[in-house]
Amino acid sequence: MDTRRVSLAIAMARPLLTLCLLVVLAAAPAYGQIGAPYCFGTGCPCGNDDPSAGCGNHGLDGDTGTGALLSASGSADLFADDLSLIVNGVDRGKFGMLFMGSASAGTPSGDGLLCIGPGATGLWRFPVQKSNPAGELSLVNPITLSQGFGVGGQILAGSTWGFQAWYRDPKGPCGTGTNFSNALDVTFEAPGASAPTSAQLAGNKLQAYPYFEYITSMNEGARVRAALDSTRFPWLVGLTGDLYVVAAKGKSRWDVDPQLLDVRGAPTTVSIQPGGTKANTFLLAKGTLSGTTGVELGVGYDVVFDTDSDGLLGPGDVIDGYSAEAGFYVVRDTAILGPEPMTGLLYSGGTWLKQNIFYPTNIASLGPRPLVVVSHGNGHDYRWYNHIGEHMASYGYVVMSHSNNTQPGIETASITTIDNTDHFLGNLGVIAGGALDGLVDGTQIVWLGHSRGGEGVVRAYDRLIDGENAPTNFTWQDIRLVSSIAPTTFLEKKKVLPHEVPYHLWIGSADADVAGAPGSGHEPYSILERAKGDKMSITLQGAGHAVFHNGGGSWWASGPCLNGPTRVHSIVKGYFLPLVDHVVGGGPAGRDFLWRHYEAFQPISAPPNGNGCIVVNLELHEKDGPAVFVIDDFQTNDGLALSSSGQSVTFNVTDASEGRLDDKDGSLAWDGTDPFNGMTRNVRPVDKQKGMVFSFDAVPSFIEWAVDPAQSNLADDTYLSFRACQGTRHPLTAATLQDVTFEVSLRDNLGVTSTIAIDSYGGGIAEPYQRTGLGPGAGWGNEFETIRIRLTDFLADGTGLNLARIEAVRFDLGPGHGSNEGRLGLDDLEVIR
Amino acid sequence: MRRLGNAALLGTCVMVAAVAVGGFRGPEDPTEAPPAVAPGQGQRGVWDLLVAIPFRVDEPFTHWWRAERPEVQAGHLLVLAVDPIVVRPRQTAEPILFVGDQTAERVNAGFEDGALIVVVPAQAGDDGWPLQELAGLPMWFGEPGLPEQVDVTAIREARRLVPDLIGFSEARVEQALTAGGNGLRCQDQAQLYLHAADWIERFAPADRHIVERLRLNR
């Protein structure tokens, strides 16, 4: 059953749905009309007529007077391939399939009528599926899927195809056990025939295949390019048109105001050539596009290829940004102060209610603003976070850093966080002379805690969820993000759970206080692993425990290549702003900061990666749900040969193991007895985060995951994602001490393969921080980082890969594929919508 | 009068000398772990009792420093000379300070000056003042942990591990009480903290940020 593929919830009564369909058919002109239904259930085999759907069945409702209804949504645009067919009224968990061919007279078959025949087109069957719990069968991306059919089976522009569904109905009225839905004809249109074609256009040129990356955000001052892959837009080859960069409008405004106004003064005239992406990459701006407006993180732009050069967006044109989201964003320097003057003050509401408050001085003109609460660590002071307070206030946030009762422990710290948040929100009429009254959005709260305060904020959230505390002025729903800097892990797991709130973790690899060493009892990554919502981490090599605050004193750092407060604060400020902007405010411009490699994309004035001492590793993992298809997260189906999605895994990498990501002996030295050496993702026995480790050494090596056939349609998904780390102090890690690289391939049902090297986009998998201690050798804990590859990148330059029928994901490693050798950890191989 | 151990006597002398030259300084390597102190060695990190002041409060406050979270009506404000390495603030577990059958609340950090100002709850008598006698009361740093997790059983166990500990002598306590002056009758914890701030300022000037916090009014 493939519930994630069901994009529509047709819950209304069938007669009403049919009525709606008929109304649409009657009223709508060609644009927006999807399919012509016919062959309803009249003259059914045993009198089981249903004139509003297919012949009557037992179905989900047990009413033999009603049958299964086939309907469609989306468009018939050949490039968009967003036609979605859905059949409802089937019993749950029953096999069925959709097929297409030519219309024919309804012939009794089983309990129903067969209305589609081979005719002139042939009869083509889509994959068999099981109906979902709602009794639905569905089909998406029929155009892409049809490319895998034999000659004559491909859906082409101008062709009309009839669709129908066959399904099992064991308790059906006529006793044959099978039935059919009604039928539906769809005439497919050439790309852009009735509306502009939406496509990714803006991004960066790459030196290696896929030669271009389509991205959401780019830094102010960076060159902006657009690429039109002629193999994916063959109908554009030979055309000369104008490339526009337009202030982002959003689809609703485009629909009423199609005028193209180039922000550069004039569009760029280009001709589309054969030769794929490399032949059709165009420079749009040499760093001249502004990323600065008000307190916004960036400025949105849409890119339009105006094929008829009429200065209007219309059918036939190609647009990046025909949605609520802009085509791309130019982002400002997030590491420097924003435009708003800010006010800072000290306030006391009682013994443990001392607060250092920052807010934009002109807050009255900004309206209610989100609140960031900072909870310091043990021996720290609430006035040591002015760098964060001033920074965020200059971008319009209200920041309250409070005294934190950390010495008794985490429970007291967590209560202090709750009490201070509640007190602050409840006393806005008093604080700052009432300047904030009515101007703090108490439904958008971020909790940021450091060390004991970092564990405390998670405990505080857990207290709210569990009902242990019931503050007057906010609830757990108002906490939109919890972020911990080097948190301790004193308390048992059940008390320190981020639950489903977006959770973010900062780690300094040189931390000499909460060192995160295996066996130390404090392994902060374990809190990240417990999170059930979106979870993110940023690991800064060379950063000690105390460089995150601004209180001076010892850095509490151990290891080489140390980075002090100036560098670390620049990175923290540069990432915290987009993190909050994206997670709390929903701004798309911040999303790229959470996963794109620091080497390729970083806050503008944050220290550059090039000097060897700035290594920043990012993890992003979306909340499990319909938008995530897990190929293998190693949490179930123990054993290397079977993925957690129940499919086969083949490999010839060596020394492979699957299990808890937990160093078992507390020593970081590699002695061959602990395959998970250096893993610090489970601090308690009840923590169960699992993954895989393996080696490759000077011979071509691979791992290949079969993809569940029921999940093989990736055409509507966006990224292939996984996280990986190097195994600390392993001889194969120590042999090179640099980024490990390898290749990732997708293979479809016809054996077509497309391959991308992970370093095409920037860095590879970074080596562990070269800190000593806990046994001979150098290298601290293993640092995971996320790798994401846009799925359409695998189509670049005409690979012919069919994303709707992916059969396997494969990693190739070793000579000819990247690094010669290495020891890697791996987890969360997923497809992200 | 109980006899002071040699280490305690040495500690007293060191404290006097150190205060005279500006206070203790901590170790250069912050990552150095708190030293293990063998049972029976002096007061296990508590080198001297410098000041003792009985207090009572009109509005009881919560003692967060033990699992039972008792309400406090009376007790002692103490100034202790301590081993600065032991009290260096860290995020991981710190040695827990015990005073008799109580956990003590540390009001300041004390690392840089080697002086801790602590609040020790005590049972109040009919007159509202603490009943607890300080003379002979063991004061020591126990195993690292979180005070909020320590209950009466844990305190007994901690005490059992240091059977040889002796408290400060009557004479020393008397000196400390004299140094402290009159007992404090406070309205609430905040007012008590204001007094504590004065002692921090005098004995642990490096903790001035804590003094500022305690003195901050709205």
Side-chain angles (χ1 to χ4, degrees):
Chain A
M1 181 180 60
D2 186 6
T3 54
R4 67 185 287 270
R5 303 296 176 192
V6 180
S7 58
L8 291 177
I10 303 178
M12 62 184 72
R14 191 182 311 109
L16 180 59
L17 177 62
T18 306
L19 178 63
C20 291
L21 275 171
L22 294 174
V23 167
V24 167
L25 289 174
Y31 188 71
Q33 175 181 310
I34 307 302
Y38 62 99
C39 197
F40 291 106
T42 56
C44 293
C46 58
N48 53 325
D49 287 6
D50 177 1
S52 63
C55 291
N57 61 13
H58 178 275
L60 192 63
D61 58 8
D63 178 358
T64 56
T66 60
L69 178 69
L70 171 63
S71 60
S73 63
S75 79
D77 185 288
L78 210 62
F79 181 79
D81 192 15
D82 59 352
L83 180 70
S84 176
L85 296 163
I86 188 161
V87 183
N88 68 344
V90 179
D91 201 356
R92 67 172 63 88
K94 297 296 179 286
F95 284 108
M97 68 172 155
L98 284 97
F99 53 95
M100 68 178 193
S102 300
S104 69
T107 306
S109 178
D111 288 7
L113 301 173
L114 176 60
C115 312
I116 304 294
T121 58
L123 191 68
W124 306 97
R125 298 179 179 87
F126 293 98
V128 174
Q129 57 185 297
K130 253 185 178 181
S131 57
N132 67 18
E136 296 169 336
L137 302 167
S138 63
L139 176 67
V140 294
N141 310 116
I143 297 162
T144 306
L145 280 167
S146 77
Q147 306 312 306
F149 291 157
V151 175
Q154 290 82 24
I155 297 174
L156 302 173
S159 63
T160 297
W161 290 89
F163 293 88
Q164 194 178 17
W166 166 91
Y167 61 92
R168 297 272 299 152
D169 188 38
K171 299 175 185 173
C174 310
T176 68
T178 65
N179 206 332
F180 293 87
S181 69
N182 61 295
L184 186 79
D185 269 359
V186 178
T187 299
F188 291 89
E189 303 168 334
S194 57
T197 298
S198 282
Q200 293 282 329
L201 297 176
N204 291 324
K205 188 165 71 173
L206 302 176
Q207 295 305 311
Y209 185 84
Y211 303 113
F212 197 86
E213 62 170 343
Y214 300 97
I215 54 181
T216 302
S217 298
M218 51 197 75
N219 278 324
E220 199 169 37
R223 292 179 176 229
V224 180
R225 290 182 167 85
L228 274 154
D229 183 350
S230 56
T231 66
R232 296 188 60 211
F233 304 87
W235 65 93
L236 298 180
V237 173
L239 274 179
T240 297
D242 295 327
L243 261 178
Y244 281 84
V245 180
V246 183
K249 290 189 181 185
K251 183 177 183 302
S252 56
R253 271 189 58 210
W254 274 120
D255 287 342
V256 297
D257 176 17
Q259 188 168 16
L260 296 167
L261 191 63
D262 199 295
V263 296
R264 301 165 300 170
T268 306
T269 300
V270 300
S271 296
I272 306 303
Q273 309 293 328
T277 304
K278 279 205 287 190
N280 295 286
T281 296
F282 310 104
L283 180 64
L284 297 180
K286 295 179 179 178
T288 53
L289 295 177
S290 172
T292 305
T293 178
V295 295
E296 300 300 319
L297 192 66
V299 177
Y301 298 92
D302 296 336
V303 179
V304 176
F305 180 47
D306 183 17
T307 54
D308 54 7
S309 299
D310 66 350
L312 299 171
L313 177 67
D317 296 338
V318 183
I319 177 171
D320 185 357
Y322 195 51
S323 65
E325 195 171 304
F328 71 98
Y329 295 84
V330 174
V331 293
R332 65 200 311 159
D333 186 351
T334 58
I336 62 172
L337 282 174
E340 288 292 323
M342 67 90 200
T343 299
L345 59 91
L346 295 175
Y347 165 82
S348 174
T351 299
W352 285 108
L353 296 169
K354 317 287 185 180
Q355 301 176 349
N356 196 4
I357 297 162
F358 305 86
Y359 61 93
T361 305
N362 301 322
I363 190 169
S365 65
L366 299 174
R369 304 299 299 166
L371 171 65
V372 177
V373 175
V374 184
S375 304
H376 68 72
N378 196 37
H380 301 169
D381 190 89
Y382 66 112
R383 290 163 296 178
W384 292 356
Y385 297 87
N386 59 314
H387 54 303
I388 292 173
E390 293 170 1
H391 188 69
M392 296 302 286
S394 75
Y395 286 98
Y397 292 88
V398 178
V399 180
M400 181 271 287
S401 175
H402 64 86
S403 56
N404 203 9
N405 195 8
T406 56
Q407 272 201 296
I410 306 308
E411 299 287 7
T412 55
S414 66
I415 292 168
T416 317
T417 297
I418 294 170
D419 287 350
N420 272 275
T421 305
D422 203 32
H423 180 91
F424 179 79
L425 293 171
N427 289 274
L428 292 174
V430 175
I431 294 169
L436 302 175
D437 201 14
L439 296 172
V440 178
D441 185 348
T443 68
Q444 295 197 77
I445 301 171
V446 177
W447 276 348
L448 171 65
H450 188 183
S451 38
R452 287 194 186 186
E455 184 178 2
V457 291
V458 183
R459 174 66 184 127
Y461 187 78
D462 185 78
R463 282 176 168 276
L464 299 181
I465 291 285
D466 292 348
E468 295 178 64
N469 292 68
T472 304
N473 299 296
F474 71 104
T475 68
W476 64 266
Q477 289 99 331
D478 300 324
I479 307 300
R480 300 304 181 92
L481 169 67
V482 176
S483 180
S484 301
I485 304 169
T488 53
T489 54
F490 277 106
L491 301 184
E492 55 191 317
K493 176 182 177 180
K494 67 181 181 183
K495 291 185 172 182
V496 186
L497 292 173
H499 297 274
E500 296 196 4
V501 71
Y503 180 69
H504 181 270
L505 178 68
W506 304 85
I507 295 292
S509 305
D511 194 321
D513 195 347
V514 186
S520 68
H522 293 282
E523 297 175 51
Y525 287 117
S526 61
I527 301 178
L528 180 82
E529 302 300 348
R530 296 169 187 168
K532 298 296 184 190
D534 291 348
K535 49 188 172 184
M536 303 141 276
S537 76
I538 300 178
T539 301
L540 287 72
Q541 293 194 0
H545 189 84
V547 296
F548 289 93
H549 66 58
N550 202 20
S554 167
W555 292 358
W556 286 84
S558 177
C561 239
L562 294 178
N563 292 306
T566 302
R567 287 178 177 176
V568 171
H569 291 183
S570 178
I571 295 170
V572 168
K573 290 185 291 187
Y575 276 106
F576 191 59
L577 177 67
L579 168 71
V580 175
D581 183 87
H582 176 62
V583 175
V584 178
R591 188 169 55 226
D592 277 12
F593 285 88
L594 304 182
W595 66 270
R596 283 173 60 196
H597 281 201
Y598 193 82
E599 299 93 312
F601 181 61
Q602 63 176 79
I604 294 172
S605 64
N609 172 252
N611 72 1
C613 285
I614 303 293
V615 177
V616 181
N617 293 318
L618 307 169
E619 281 182 275
L620 169 62
H621 184 263
E622 276 86 356
K623 176 182 179 179
D624 286 343
V628 178
F629 160 40
V630 178
I631 296 173
D632 203 351
D633 65 5
F634 308 97
Q635 293 302 112
T636 55
N637 295 333
D638 287 346
L640 291 163
L642 194 63
S643 68
S644 60
S645 58
Q647 305 303 306
S648 66
V649 181
T650 54
F651 59 89
N652 71 350
V653 293
T654 57
D655 297 327
S657 289
E658 184 176 320
R660 291 179 75 234
L661 297 173
D662 185 30
D663 184 298
K664 293 175 177 60
D665 59 11
S667 165
L668 289 171
W670 175 262
D671 62 6
T673 64
D674 182 1
F676 292 92
N677 186 57
M679 296 291 188
T680 58
R681 301 282 166 158
N682 301 282
V683 72
R684 303 265 182 276
V686 290
D687 289 311
K688 302 291 186 188
Q689 187 63 40
K690 297 177 182 176
M692 177 187 186
V693 290
F694 60 90
S695 303
F696 58 101
D697 184 9
V699 295
S701 306
F702 75 94
I703 312 173
E704 182 172 307
W705 290 263
V707 174
D708 181 353
Q711 306 268 17
S712 66
N713 186 350
L714 311 185
D716 277 350
D717 295 307
T718 306
Y719 296 109
L720 178 72
S721 178
F722 59 88
R723 60 175 176 165
C725 64
Q726 292 200 43
T728 195
R729 303 192 193 182
H730 189 281
L732 295 175
T733 296
T736 52
L737 280 186
Q738 59 185 11
D739 277 15
V740 164
T741 63
F742 52 91
E743 292 176 338
V744 179
S745 300
L746 298 183
R747 190 178 68 242
D748 69 16
N749 63 317
L750 297 180
V752 177
T753 296
S754 179
T755 300
I756 293 175
I758 63 168
D759 53 326
S760 296
Y761 303 94
I765 310 300
E767 70 273 25
Y769 181 53
Q770 291 300 292
R771 178 177 172 181
T772 56
L774 297 179
W780 207 239
N782 303 339
E783 297 177 7
F784 276 99
E785 56 185 314
T786 293
I787 301 285
R788 290 205 160 167
I789 303 175
R790 188 179 288 273
L791 285 163
T792 51
D793 286 359
F794 288 99
L795 305 178
D797 292 354
T799 58
L801 183 76
N802 187 346
L803 281 178
R805 297 296 296 273
I806 295 301
E807 286 196 340
V809 176
R810 179 182 171 104
F811 289 3
D812 282 289
L813 312 100
H817 303 292
S819 300
N820 205 49
E821 68 272 303
R823 171 73 174 176
L824 293 179
L826 179 70
D827 196 13
D828 293 333
L829 178 61
E830 298 171 337
V831 174
I832 311 295
R833 179 147 294 170
Chain B
M1 175 179 165
R2 291 174 189 258
R3 185 170 54 85
L4 281 175
N6 289 339
L9 282 171
L10 177 63
T12 303
C13 299
V14 169
M15 182 62 202
V16 170
V19 168
V21 297
F24 292 109
R25 306 303 301 178
E28 288 304 311
D29 180 5
T31 66
E32 186 178 334
V37 185
Q41 181 184 341
Q43 299 284 326
R44 284 182 56 103
V46 179
W47 287 349
D48 200 1
L49 173 63
L50 302 177
V51 177
I53 316 157
F55 72 83
R56 55 178 290 190
V57 289
D58 297 337
E59 297 174 16
F61 61 86
T62 302
H63 182 55
W64 294 98
W65 293 65
R66 56 183 290 174
E68 297 90 346
R69 296 180 188 170
E71 291 296 292
V72 180
Q73 286 183 283
H76 288 93
L77 191 66
L78 306 180
V79 180
L80 303 175
V82 297
D83 183 342
I85 296 175
V86 173
V87 297
R88 176 154 201 152
R90 61 188 64 240
Q91 309 307 318
T92 50
E94 297 174 321
I96 295 173
L97 177 60
F98 295 96
V99 175
D101 61 356
Q102 270 293 7
T103 52
E105 173 187 354
R106 301 193 215 173
V107 184
N108 69 319
F111 161 67
E112 292 188 77
D113 298 293
L116 264 190
I117 285 72
V118 304
V119 173
V120 183
Q123 188 181 348
D126 291 341
D127 59 359
W129 293 98
L131 291 172
Q132 180 70 61
E133 288 286 342
L134 293 177
L137 202 61
M139 302 180 189
W140 79 103
F141 285 98
E143 295 301 310
L146 294 179
E148 68 181 11
Q149 296 178 337
V150 173
D151 60 12
V152 63
T153 306
I155 294 174
R156 285 198 194 111
E157 175 62 15
R159 181 71 181 91
R160 193 185 63 76
L161 292 174
V162 287
D164 298 335
L165 273 187
I166 56 172
F168 291 103
S169 67
E170 287 183 17
R172 190 77 195 112
V173 168
E174 196 56 40
Q175 278 183 300
L177 286 166
T178 301
N182 295 332
L184 300 171
R185 179 163 184 170
C186 302
Q187 183 184 345
D188 55 16
Q189 185 187 34
Q191 197 175 19
L192 177 64
Y193 279 159
L194 289 177
H195 289 285
D198 294 340
W199 292 104
I200 296 170
E201 194 169 47
R202 180 170 164 191
F203 282 91
D207 290 337
R208 60 186 174 278
H209 61 288
I210 297 175
V211 173
E212 291 166 4
R213 170 168 59 81
L214 296 174
R215 288 177 175 167
L216 178 67
N217 292 310
R218 70 174 67 206

